[in-house]
Amino acid sequence: QKEVEQNSGPLSVPEGAIASLNCTYSDRGSQSFFWYRQYSGKSPELIMSIYSNGDKEDGRFTAQLNKASQYVSLLIRDSQPSDSATYLCAVTPSGGSNYKLTFGKGTLLTVNP
Amino acid sequence: SAVISQKPSRDICQRGTSLTIQCQVDSQVTMMFWYRQQPGQSLTLIATANQGSEATYESGFVIDKFPISRPNLTFSTLTVSNMSPEDSSIYLCSVAMDRGTDEQYFGPGTRLTVT
Protein backbone atom coordinates (compact mmCIF):
# COMPACT_ATOMS: atom_id res chain seq x y z
CA GLN A 1 0.00 0.00 0.00
CA LYS A 2 1.53 3.25 -1.14
CA GLU A 3 1.32 5.88 1.57
CA VAL A 4 1.57 9.62 1.87
CA GLU A 5 2.12 10.97 5.37
CA GLN A 6 1.48 14.46 6.68
CA ASN A 7 1.32 15.94 10.14
CA SER A 8 -2.35 16.52 10.82
CA GLY A 9 -1.67 19.70 12.77
CA PRO A 10 -3.11 22.05 13.52
CA LEU A 11 -0.14 24.19 12.58
CA SER A 12 -0.57 27.67 13.95
CA VAL A 13 1.54 30.60 12.73
CA PRO A 14 1.23 34.36 13.20
CA GLU A 15 0.36 36.58 10.27
CA GLY A 16 3.43 37.46 8.24
CA ALA A 17 5.41 34.38 9.30
CA ILE A 18 6.58 31.49 7.14
CA ALA A 19 4.42 28.37 7.31
CA SER A 20 6.22 25.10 6.58
CA LEU A 21 4.20 22.04 5.61
CA ASN A 22 5.80 18.65 5.19
CA CYS A 23 4.96 15.42 3.43
CA THR A 24 6.70 12.06 3.08
CA TYR A 25 5.80 9.28 0.67
CA SER A 26 6.59 5.59 0.54
CA ASP A 27 6.69 4.93 -3.23
CA ARG A 28 10.30 5.58 -4.20
CA GLY A 29 9.40 5.65 -7.89
CA SER A 30 6.82 8.44 -7.62
CA GLN A 31 7.34 11.13 -10.24
CA SER A 32 4.71 13.81 -9.70
CA PHE A 33 3.90 15.74 -6.55
CA PHE A 34 1.13 18.17 -5.82
CA TRP A 35 -0.09 20.47 -3.11
CA TYR A 36 -3.78 21.23 -2.82
CA ARG A 37 -5.46 23.76 -0.56
CA GLN A 38 -8.90 22.90 0.81
CA TYR A 39 -10.98 25.44 2.64
CA SER A 40 -13.60 24.08 5.01
CA GLY A 41 -16.63 22.91 3.07
CA LYS A 42 -14.93 23.40 -0.29
CA SER A 43 -13.21 21.13 -2.79
CA PRO A 44 -9.42 20.90 -3.14
CA GLU A 45 -7.70 23.58 -5.20
CA LEU A 46 -4.38 22.85 -6.90
CA ILE A 47 -1.76 25.37 -5.81
CA MET A 48 1.58 23.76 -6.72
CA SER A 49 2.98 20.90 -8.74
CA ILE A 50 6.60 19.78 -8.71
CA TYR A 51 8.36 17.07 -10.67
CA SER A 52 12.13 17.61 -10.19
CA ASN A 53 14.37 17.77 -7.17
CA GLY A 54 14.87 21.24 -5.79
CA ASP A 55 12.69 24.27 -5.28
CA LYS A 56 9.82 25.66 -7.32
CA GLU A 57 8.49 29.09 -6.48
CA ASP A 58 5.13 30.64 -7.36
CA GLY A 59 4.38 33.91 -5.63
CA ARG A 60 4.37 33.36 -1.88
CA PHE A 61 4.49 29.58 -2.30
CA THR A 62 7.61 27.45 -2.64
CA ALA A 63 7.49 23.69 -3.13
CA GLN A 64 10.60 21.68 -2.30
CA LEU A 65 11.24 18.13 -3.47
CA ASN A 66 13.90 15.68 -2.34
CA LYS A 67 13.35 12.32 -4.03
CA ALA A 68 16.28 10.66 -2.28
CA SER A 69 14.67 11.40 1.08
CA GLN A 70 11.14 10.87 -0.31
CA TYR A 71 10.14 14.20 1.05
CA VAL A 72 8.19 17.13 -0.34
CA SER A 73 7.38 20.38 1.44
CA LEU A 74 5.45 23.57 0.94
CA LEU A 75 6.57 26.92 2.30
CA ILE A 76 4.14 29.81 2.50
CA ARG A 77 5.86 33.16 2.98
CA ASP A 78 4.16 36.18 4.53
CA SER A 79 1.29 34.01 5.71
CA GLN A 80 -2.13 35.62 5.67
CA PRO A 81 -5.31 34.71 7.57
CA SER A 82 -6.77 33.78 4.17
CA ASP A 83 -4.17 31.00 3.96
CA SER A 84 -5.94 29.22 6.84
CA ALA A 85 -7.03 25.92 5.32
CA THR A 86 -6.14 22.24 5.12
CA TYR A 87 -3.21 21.54 2.82
CA LEU A 88 -3.20 18.18 1.06
CA CYS A 89 -0.12 16.54 -0.38
CA ALA A 90 -0.75 14.22 -3.35
CA VAL A 91 1.57 11.87 -5.19
CA THR A 92 1.30 9.79 -8.34
CA PRO A 93 2.52 6.19 -8.26
CA SER A 94 5.48 4.68 -10.06
CA GLY A 95 4.66 2.78 -13.23
CA GLY A 96 1.30 2.61 -14.94
CA SER A 97 -1.04 5.56 -14.85
CA ASN A 98 0.37 8.89 -13.72
CA TYR A 99 -3.12 10.04 -12.85
CA LYS A 100 -3.88 7.94 -9.80
CA LEU A 101 -3.34 10.45 -7.05
CA THR A 102 -2.70 9.21 -3.54
CA PHE A 103 -3.47 11.87 -0.96
CA GLY A 104 -2.17 12.45 2.50
CA LYS A 105 -4.65 13.23 5.24
CA GLY A 106 -3.77 16.89 5.16
CA THR A 107 -2.33 19.48 7.53
CA LEU A 108 -4.65 22.09 9.00
CA LEU A 109 -2.98 25.49 8.94
CA THR A 110 -4.25 28.39 11.03
CA VAL A 111 -2.79 31.85 10.46
CA ASN A 112 -3.49 34.14 13.40
CA PRO A 113 -3.96 37.89 12.78
CA SER B 1 -8.11 25.16 -15.77
CA ALA B 2 -11.55 23.97 -16.87
CA VAL B 3 -14.82 24.97 -15.26
CA ILE B 4 -16.28 21.89 -13.59
CA SER B 5 -19.80 21.65 -12.23
CA GLN B 6 -21.51 18.93 -10.25
CA LYS B 7 -25.15 18.20 -9.56
CA PRO B 8 -26.59 17.97 -7.02
CA SER B 9 -24.41 19.99 -4.65
CA ARG B 10 -25.91 18.13 -1.71
CA ASP B 11 -28.62 15.62 -0.96
CA ILE B 12 -30.13 13.71 1.91
CA CYS B 13 -31.19 10.21 0.95
CA GLN B 14 -32.79 7.26 2.63
CA ARG B 15 -31.08 3.97 3.22
CA GLY B 16 -31.52 1.54 0.33
CA THR B 17 -32.05 4.15 -2.37
CA SER B 18 -29.68 5.27 -5.13
CA LEU B 19 -28.36 8.69 -6.15
CA THR B 20 -26.80 9.69 -9.44
CA ILE B 21 -24.26 12.52 -9.39
CA GLN B 22 -23.46 14.42 -12.56
CA CYS B 23 -20.15 16.03 -13.50
CA GLN B 24 -19.98 18.49 -16.41
CA VAL B 25 -16.84 20.13 -17.79
CA ASP B 26 -16.82 23.17 -20.05
CA SER B 27 -14.18 21.69 -22.39
CA GLN B 28 -13.19 18.27 -23.63
CA VAL B 29 -10.89 16.40 -21.28
CA THR B 30 -9.18 13.07 -21.67
CA MET B 31 -9.30 11.88 -18.09
CA MET B 32 -12.11 12.10 -15.56
CA PHE B 33 -12.06 10.62 -12.09
CA TRP B 34 -14.35 10.11 -9.14
CA TYR B 35 -13.15 10.49 -5.54
CA ARG B 36 -14.74 10.10 -2.16
CA GLN B 37 -13.90 12.18 0.92
CA GLN B 38 -15.39 10.76 4.08
CA PRO B 39 -15.91 13.07 7.06
CA GLY B 40 -12.59 14.24 8.47
CA GLN B 41 -10.65 12.12 5.99
CA SER B 42 -8.63 12.69 2.88
CA LEU B 43 -9.58 11.82 -0.68
CA THR B 44 -9.78 8.28 -1.99
CA LEU B 45 -9.96 7.48 -5.68
CA ILE B 46 -13.04 5.44 -6.56
CA ALA B 47 -12.53 4.97 -10.28
CA THR B 48 -11.35 6.40 -13.56
CA ALA B 49 -14.22 7.19 -15.91
CA ASN B 50 -13.25 6.01 -19.39
CA GLN B 51 -15.03 7.43 -22.41
CA GLY B 52 -16.60 4.68 -24.47
CA SER B 53 -15.62 1.82 -22.17
CA GLU B 54 -16.16 0.53 -18.66
CA ALA B 55 -14.73 2.51 -15.77
CA THR B 56 -11.56 1.32 -14.04
CA TYR B 57 -12.23 0.78 -10.35
CA GLU B 58 -9.77 0.96 -7.49
CA SER B 59 -9.41 -1.73 -4.87
CA GLY B 60 -12.40 -1.77 -2.56
CA PHE B 61 -14.83 -0.24 -5.06
CA VAL B 62 -17.08 -2.27 -7.36
CA ILE B 63 -19.24 -1.47 -10.34
CA ASP B 64 -22.43 -2.80 -8.78
CA LYS B 65 -22.15 -0.30 -5.95
CA PHE B 66 -20.72 2.65 -7.91
CA PRO B 67 -21.75 2.39 -11.57
CA ILE B 68 -20.15 5.11 -13.70
CA SER B 69 -20.98 6.38 -17.14
CA ARG B 70 -18.92 8.58 -19.47
CA PRO B 71 -20.84 9.11 -22.70
CA ASN B 72 -18.55 11.85 -24.04
CA LEU B 73 -15.45 13.90 -23.25
CA THR B 74 -17.25 16.52 -21.14
CA PHE B 75 -19.68 14.55 -18.98
CA SER B 76 -19.73 11.70 -16.47
CA THR B 77 -22.09 10.30 -13.85
CA LEU B 78 -21.48 8.35 -10.67
CA THR B 79 -24.33 6.42 -9.06
CA VAL B 80 -24.19 5.43 -5.43
CA SER B 81 -26.44 2.37 -5.22
CA ASN B 82 -28.32 0.76 -2.36
CA MET B 83 -27.03 3.40 0.01
CA SER B 84 -26.23 2.93 3.68
CA PRO B 85 -25.18 5.54 6.27
CA GLU B 86 -21.54 4.52 5.62
CA ASP B 87 -21.90 6.06 2.15
CA SER B 88 -22.35 9.50 3.69
CA SER B 89 -19.48 11.41 2.19
CA ILE B 90 -18.44 14.09 -0.24
CA TYR B 91 -18.14 12.81 -3.79
CA LEU B 92 -15.86 14.74 -6.11
CA CYS B 93 -15.13 14.49 -9.77
CA SER B 94 -11.79 15.62 -11.12
CA VAL B 95 -10.34 16.11 -14.57
CA ALA B 96 -6.88 16.04 -16.06
CA MET B 97 -6.36 18.49 -18.88
CA ASP B 98 -4.61 17.56 -22.13
CA ARG B 99 -1.53 19.66 -21.47
CA GLY B 100 1.16 17.04 -21.10
CA THR B 101 0.96 17.23 -17.33
CA ASP B 102 -0.92 15.06 -14.89
CA GLU B 103 -2.39 17.92 -12.90
CA GLN B 104 -5.95 17.29 -11.75
CA TYR B 105 -8.64 19.82 -11.04
CA PHE B 106 -11.64 19.14 -8.86
CA GLY B 107 -15.29 19.95 -9.15
CA PRO B 108 -17.15 21.54 -6.24
CA GLY B 109 -18.28 18.20 -4.84
CA THR B 110 -21.57 16.60 -3.83
CA ARG B 111 -22.27 16.27 -0.12
CA LEU B 112 -24.32 13.13 0.47
CA THR B 113 -26.00 12.25 3.73
CA VAL B 114 -27.71 8.87 4.07
CA THR B 115 -30.24 8.46 6.84
Side-chain angles (χ1 to χ4, degrees), chain A residues 2-6 23-36 50 65 70-72 88-94 97-104, chain B residues 35 102 104:
Chain A
K2 310 298 185 186
E3 294 184 347
V4 177
E5 300 287 342
Q6 296 181 252
C23 172
T24 60
Y25 58 94
S26 63
D27 185 352
R28 182 169 290 278
S30 293
Q31 295 295 321
S32 305
F33 308 86
F34 307 94
W35 284 100
Y36 287 83
I50 187 166
L65 175 61
Q70 296 175 238
Y71 174 91
V72 58
L88 301 168
C89 173
V91 176
T92 58
S94 57
S97 170
N98 282 336
Y99 294 99
K100 292 186 179 182
L101 293 179
T102 299
F103 282 83
Chain B
Y35 287 82
D102 44 11
Q104 287 185 33

Side-chain angles (χ1 to χ4, degrees), chain B residues 55-66:
Chain B
T56 305
Y57 290 84
E58 297 302 303
S59 176
F61 298 97
V62 296
I63 188 171
D64 290 345
K65 177 67 176 178
F66 298 102

Side-chain angles (χ1 to χ4, degrees), chain A residues 32 34 36 38 40-46 48-49 51 56 88-89 92 97-106, chain B residues 31 33 35 37 40-45 48 56 58 90 92 96-98 101-109 111:
Chain A
S32 305
F34 307 94
Y36 287 83
Q38 187 172 27
S40 180
K42 302 294 185 181
S43 64
E45 173 193 7
L46 179 64
M48 289 289 283
S49 58
Y51 303 94
K56 179 181 178 182
L88 301 168
C89 173
T92 58
S97 170
N98 282 336
Y99 294 99
K100 292 186 179 182
L101 293 179
T102 299
F103 282 83
K105 292 186 176 180
Chain B
M31 309 292 288
F33 308 88
Y35 287 82
Q37 187 172 30
Q41 300 298 313
S42 193
L43 286 82
T44 302
L45 179 63
T48 302
T56 305
E58 297 302 303
I90 299 173
L92 299 127
M97 309 301 293
D98 262 335
T101 73
D102 44 11
E103 294 176 346
Q104 287 185 33
Y105 300 89
F106 285 85
R111 183 179 296 271

Side-chain angles (χ1 to χ4, degrees), chain B residues 4-19:
Chain B
I4 307 167
S5 59
Q6 284 186 236
K7 289 185 194 179
S9 58
R10 59 178 63 225
D11 208 339
I12 301 173
C13 300
Q14 290 194 337
R15 180 195 300 262
T17 63
S18 298
L19 176 71

